Amino acid sequence: MKIRPLPNLVNSLALLMLLSFSSVINASLVVNQTALINPKGEWLNHGRTYKEQRYSPLTDINKNNVNELDLAWSFKFDTARGMEATPILHDGVLYVSTGWSHVHAIDARSGDELWHYDAKVPKSQLAKTCCGPVNRGVAIWQKDNSSPLQIFFGSLDGRLIALDAKTGKENWSVQSTPTDGNYSITGAPRIVKDMVIIGNGGGELGVRGYITAYDVSSGEMRWRFYTVPGDRNKPQESEALKKALPTWSGEEWYKLGGGGGTVWDSIVFDPELDILYIGTGNGSPWNRDLRSPGGGDNLYLSSIVAINPDNGKYIWHYQTTPADNWDYTATQQMILAEIEINNEIRSVIMQAPKNGFFYVLDRKTGELISAEKFGHVTWATHVDMETGKPVESEFADYQENGGSYIWPSPYGAHNWQPMSYSKKTGYIYIPVQTIPAYFSGQKEVSYKVNRWNTGVNLNESRSPASWVAAKASLDALVYGELVAWDPIKQERAWTVRHPKPSNGGTLSTAGDLVFQGTWDGAFAAYDALSGDQLWQYQSDSAILAGPITYELDGEQYVAVTQGSGGVVMLTIGEEIRKNYVNQNRLLVFKRGDFNLERLTANNTMASLESVKFEHDLDIARVKNGEYLYHNNCASCHGLDAKSNYVVPDLRYMSEETHDNFATIVLGGSLTHKGMIGFYETLSLDDVGMIHDYLRDEQTSVAEKLEMTFSQKVEYWFNYAISKLGEKFPEILNATRDSIM
Ligand code: CA
């Protein structure tokens, strides 16, 4: 070991003093690669640093004083949709995106808005989304001292937009997706080597996935990487696609929209290895027998793919779900870390995708180090370490079985809500959810623009047990968890159970804390080692996004965006509350006592008056209407027409809405609100039957809510039996026994 001579130490001290002096006179970092590797007290990348660990070294707020946290200020947005954005904090400014592709720059000291940009997305674009007009955040970058500091984000209609960070004025905008297809953008861009990397979404409707790199200054395209092969009769765009082609059969995938594999969320960069990692989405259509009749793994669906960031060339891949059949995306957040496995420090990439297995891979080679179930999983028994592939269970092939009851559902055991990794505890903090699904395949897909094209019967797919559970407000089968996961032992260290699924992303800190919001508008801090809850703030709408923490003027802050939305809240969220408004806010906390008016939720349950209709409803028409509703309307308005406060609950339609029902549903008279006309897919008679079904729901909802607990269970049990007959009596009986 070399002993440093004294003069060096003196020099180091002088340098240190100089550095701290210069940081006082020029506190602002240049937001480049160096800054994204070490953002100091700021939050400069989606997952804070390039490693996307969502771990902060700040300790001013810690487990001994976190009970002193209070809401310092909040900012109310003028949207009322899902809030999934992670804010960026730089130089005293918070940059936040909201639903409908707005971006706000907010003074982090005063809470005042500095500028607001509206991408003016046509509301009809909503029909091309699976899960609401959400946006998961912006990116920030400054190429050099003579270039402007810029904010980048993707708009719902597929544009990539560069804004001047000081003024909010548009520097450039490029259309990154074909406007005549089923594409959308909801994910946050990442900046790598003066390029903006952006993916897109649309896997439920039918698109071909890709990511694109654009020059930060000009918006000029640098390269594009397609995740699945194109038309087999045409040349493929890359060597990687030529290798992937033999893993696909037939020609259906590109005739039915493009095969899927969209990169709608996680993109991670390792500056040391100079590798870009992307997580790819599910197959499109979901049903593999319709997508690739004749089998095949269908590369590179549901995979982690390593790419050369300079030219977009393939390096390696690991497919988490070969021959995806269940909407098991591998787009969920990926974390880079160095962890010790068998006395060796390994550079790993880790992911907890929808399919319920936690993966640890060597990020240089793609070698599978380990994979174990982190949630409730029945589609596969285990991952075979010889082949590196999951072993499908008897339930997996629903086409062959004529329908299967499976965990996880397409909601995933873990979805877009980001997880975090604490170097200090060694744990990954995962927002886990348990929701089963009943899968039933269709015989064919007639591909349509603006519609889901999954090849799965979404009416039949409503699980009888989850109906029983969700409708009777039971927590036995459908629930959420905050899980501290040990990635070395591949097991849970501790679990906090939440009564409902769809809870928030996590943040962990060197102050031994984990922060997470929940479906009911609570925001809490937990002891990172034990899971004990140490502090909580109750707000007035669901908190689902990933929280951030930063230092400003020598004080540590914690901030998070709130707003109910996303696919779980939209379809199996909570019971309606009368006059409940989805509040989109940015909440900013620090230690102190600020005595602000509390943002308390109105918890009054809707008082329901039975609506009596003049004529008797024809039960056959109601049943047909129910089928049509669940294949055309339920992804936005909720299963069994039980929406929540994100979109109008159709069981509470006003007289005026009843009168104008066909004009709205067929004619598109509410297109300006995002409800397009369905004249291309539904007939006037179809709409009449959907209306009859909704009248029936509206008539019976009051009776249902007046039932006792056991009456509700019995009611929904019988309801489930009536839907699926005696198909799964054992499951239903077991369900009833476990909750009665
Ligand atoms: Ca999907």
Side-chain angles (χ1 to χ4, degrees):
M1 187 175 154
K2 196 176 167 187
I3 309 287
R4 281 172 182 240
L6 190 63
N8 259 0
L9 182 65
V10 173
N11 283 345
S12 306
L13 280 171
L15 185 66
L16 199 68
M17 285 166 71
L18 190 70
L19 278 174
S20 49
F21 180 66
S22 67
S23 74
V24 169
I25 54 169
N26 181 17
S28 174
L29 291 167
V30 176
V31 185
N32 55 17
Q33 179 162 312
T34 311
L36 264 67
I37 291 168
N38 180 11
K40 310 213 167 134
E42 300 203 328
W43 192 286
L44 294 178
N45 192 36
H46 191 59
R48 187 173 174 271
T49 73
Y50 273 129
K51 291 188 168 172
E52 306 239 356
Q53 295 176 350
R54 290 178 180 264
Y55 170 80
S56 169
L58 297 176
T59 53
D60 284 354
I61 298 169
N62 56 58
K63 68 176 177 186
N64 298 317
N65 62 24
V66 68
N67 60 344
E68 296 166 18
L69 268 197
D70 195 8
L71 186 70
W73 57 269
S74 70
F75 182 88
K76 184 160 173 359
F77 300 102
D78 52 8
T79 46
R81 280 294 188 156
M83 285 292 282
E84 301 189 355
T86 299
I88 295 288
L89 179 283
H90 171 62
D91 200 14
V93 182
L94 285 153
Y95 300 92
V96 189
S97 61
T98 72
W100 287 119
S101 311
H102 292 240
V103 179
H104 299 255
I106 300 167
D107 185 320
R109 293 181 176 88
S110 65
D112 294 337
E113 184 171 88
L114 300 172
W115 54 257
H116 169 202
Y117 176 87
D118 176 0
K120 298 197 167 65
V121 171
K123 294 291 191 287
S124 57
Q125 180 67 23
L126 191 61
K128 295 188 199 293
T129 68
C130 69
C131 314
V134 296
N135 188 284
R136 278 181 292 280
V138 304
I140 187 168
W141 193 260
Q142 185 172 17
K143 189 177 179 181
D144 50 47
N145 284 326
S146 59
S147 306
L149 179 69
Q150 297 194 99
I151 299 297
F152 305 89
F153 83 110
S155 65
L156 195 68
D157 55 356
R159 286 171 284 158
L160 177 67
I161 299 170
L163 304 174
D164 185 287
K166 293 271 178 295
T167 63
K169 295 275 179 300
E170 199 175 296
N171 284 341
W172 54 260
S173 169
V174 291
Q175 183 65 42
S176 186
T177 60
T179 50
D180 57 351
N182 272 330
Y183 286 96
S184 58
I185 295 181
T186 57
R190 308 299 202 279
I191 317 293
V192 173
K193 301 166 104 174
D194 293 331
M195 291 178 288
V196 197
I197 318 286
I198 188 77
N200 46 58
E204 276 53 72
L205 295 91
V207 297
R208 184 184 181 200
Y210 60 85
I211 59 159
T212 318
Y214 297 92
D215 184 277
V216 288
S217 302
S218 63
E220 197 183 322
M221 192 198 292
R222 288 279 171 258
W223 51 260
R224 176 164 286 178
F225 178 89
Y226 284 96
T227 61
V228 294
D231 187 334
R232 66 161 70 249
N233 304 304
K234 293 180 182 165
Q236 302 298 316
E237 289 87 345
S238 68
E239 285 303 312
L241 292 177
K242 282 183 205 163
K243 281 187 192 149
L245 194 55
T247 69
W248 293 74
S249 307
E251 301 185 284
E252 296 308 305
W253 82 90
Y254 52 86
K255 292 178 177 169
L256 298 176
T262 54
V263 185
W264 57 261
D265 199 22
S266 191
I267 301 169
V268 185
F269 174 56
D270 182 341
E272 282 163 46
L273 293 175
D274 198 22
I275 297 177
L276 182 72
Y277 305 92
I278 61 170
T280 69
N282 55 277
S284 178
W286 291 353
N287 186 330
R288 64 188 175 197
D289 289 306
L290 302 183
R291 183 177 73 237
S292 180
D297 282 352
N298 294 181
L299 294 173
Y300 300 93
L301 293 180
S302 305
S303 300
I304 296 171
V305 186
I307 292 172
N308 180 334
D310 294 321
N311 54 23
K313 292 226 161 59
Y314 165 98
I315 300 172
W316 59 256
H317 80 276
Y318 176 79
Q319 190 173 38
T320 59
T321 309
D324 170 46
N325 207 17
W326 314 271
D327 186 20
Y328 288 163
T329 68
T331 56
Q332 280 60 41
Q333 185 206 354
M334 297 177 289
I335 285 178
L336 310 184
E338 280 63 48
I339 62 175
E340 191 179 321
I341 296 168
N342 299 330
N343 302 318
E344 197 190 336
I345 303 290
R346 304 285 299 262
S347 294
V348 300
I349 184 166
M350 298 182 279
Q351 191 189 43
K354 270 190 187 178
N355 77 11
F357 286 92
F358 189 93
Y359 295 90
V360 181
L361 307 178
D362 182 310
R363 71 174 184 266
K364 198 170 179 181
T365 62
E367 177 203 340
L368 174 66
I369 295 172
S370 60
E372 293 294 339
K373 293 174 180 177
F374 66 87
H376 194 61
V377 175
T378 64
W379 72 278
T381 56
H382 64 287
V383 173
D384 183 328
M385 293 305 292
E386 294 285 308
T387 63
K389 291 184 180 187
V391 178
E392 288 185 12
S393 74
E394 59 188 303
F395 308 110
D397 195 338
Y398 53 83
Q399 197 81 338
E400 201 177 283
N401 293 342
S404 283
Y405 186 68
I406 295 169
W407 277 269
S409 66
Y411 298 116
H414 171 221
N415 208 314
W416 62 269
Q417 287 93 332
M419 58 187 193
S420 61
Y421 168 64
S422 166
K423 278 185 267 200
K424 219 171 152 187
T425 61
Y427 299 152
I428 307 257
Y429 301 95
I430 317 171
V432 177
Q433 53 190 13
T434 299
I435 314 170
Y438 177 75
F439 284 86
S440 170
Q442 288 174 327
K443 291 204 169 58
E444 59 176 345
V445 173
S446 59
Y447 180 78
K448 293 188 184 81
V449 173
N450 292 338
R451 296 291 176 278
W452 284 36
N453 297 286
T454 61
V456 169
N457 185 332
L458 297 174
N459 184 47
E460 282 274 294
S461 293
R462 290 176 299 147
S463 128
S466 63
W467 298 342
V468 175
K471 289 177 181 175
S473 296
L474 303 171
D475 64 359
L477 293 160
V478 179
Y479 56 92
E481 290 168 314
L482 169 60
V483 170
W485 185 260
D486 184 329
I488 298 168
K489 292 183 187 160
Q490 284 276 26
E491 63 182 33
R492 291 180 179 209
W494 52 258
T495 299
V496 171
R497 175 128 165 187
H498 300 309
K500 299 248 184 176
S502 194
N503 298 295
T506 72
L507 161 74
S508 49
T509 76
D512 297 315
L513 296 170
V514 180
F515 290 89
Q516 189 195 27
T518 41
W519 63 279
D520 57 351
F523 185 58
Y526 301 88
D527 183 316
L529 263 180
S530 68
D532 293 341
Q533 188 177 310
L534 303 173
W535 169 83
Q536 179 178 299
Y537 179 85
Q538 181 65 49
S539 195
D540 56 357
S541 279
I543 297 173
L544 307 177
I548 67 166
T549 187
Y550 53 87
E551 188 182 324
L552 184 65
D553 305 329
E555 279 186 289
Q556 188 182 351
Y557 291 77
V558 176
V560 69
T561 58
Q562 78 163 39
S564 180
V567 67
V568 177
M569 299 299 275
L570 280 171
T571 54
I572 57 164
E574 48 190 305
E575 285 291 344
I576 185 95
R577 295 159 178 180
K578 198 174 191 181
N579 301 326
Y580 200 103
V581 179
N582 186 16
Q583 303 288 358
N584 285 185
R585 300 181 196 275
L586 172 67
L587 306 175
V588 179
F589 301 90
K590 68 172 179 173
R591 286 165 59 203
D593 203 352
F594 305 104
N595 297 314
L596 296 180
E597 192 186 340
R598 295 199 79 80
L599 309 171
T600 311
N602 171 7
N603 278 308
T604 333
M605 291 295 285
S607 68
L608 293 156
E609 298 106 38
S610 278
V611 179
K612 297 293 175 204
F613 292 96
E614 297 290 310
H615 60 288
D616 286 329
L617 294 165
D618 176 343
I619 192 68
R621 286 181 60 81
V622 169
K623 290 234 172 208
N624 278 339
E626 182 182 31
Y627 176 85
L628 290 165
Y629 172 88
H630 285 95
N631 281 307
N632 291 286
C633 322
S635 63
C636 290
H637 286 280
L639 299 181
D640 306 301
K642 194 200 80 177
S643 178
N644 55 72
Y645 53 93
V646 184
V647 295
D649 190 304
L650 301 179
R651 300 172 309 168
Y652 300 83
M653 281 190 286
S654 66
E655 219 162 289
E656 193 191 344
T657 307
H658 278 293
D659 290 346
N660 296 314
F661 194 79
T663 323
I664 295 166
V665 180
L666 216 51
S669 64
L670 293 182
T671 300
H672 62 285
K673 290 185 168 177
M675 171 66 197
I676 62 161
F678 282 61
Y679 55 87
E680 284 171 348
T681 36
L682 297 174
S683 69
L684 188 60
D685 195 42
D686 289 340
V687 172
M689 288 190 281
I690 291 172
H691 198 181
D692 283 349
Y693 162 65
L694 292 171
R695 281 177 176 136
D696 186 50
E697 285 292 314
Q698 190 162 5
T699 307
S700 53
V701 70
E703 299 157 26
K704 287 170 196 164
L705 285 187
E706 278 159 20
M707 291 174 190
T708 64
F709 177 82
S710 56
Q711 278 173 331
K712 275 188 195 174
V713 174
E714 199 59 39
Y715 178 93
W716 293 116
F717 177 81
N718 291 331
Y719 183 78
I721 284 278
S722 77
K723 299 296 164 192
L724 287 181
E726 299 298 317
K727 230 168 186 174
F728 293 98
E730 326 82 60
I731 290 168
L732 288 171
N733 283 320
T735 303
R736 183 168 61 171
D737 292 348
S738 71
I739 56 188
M740 289 294 276

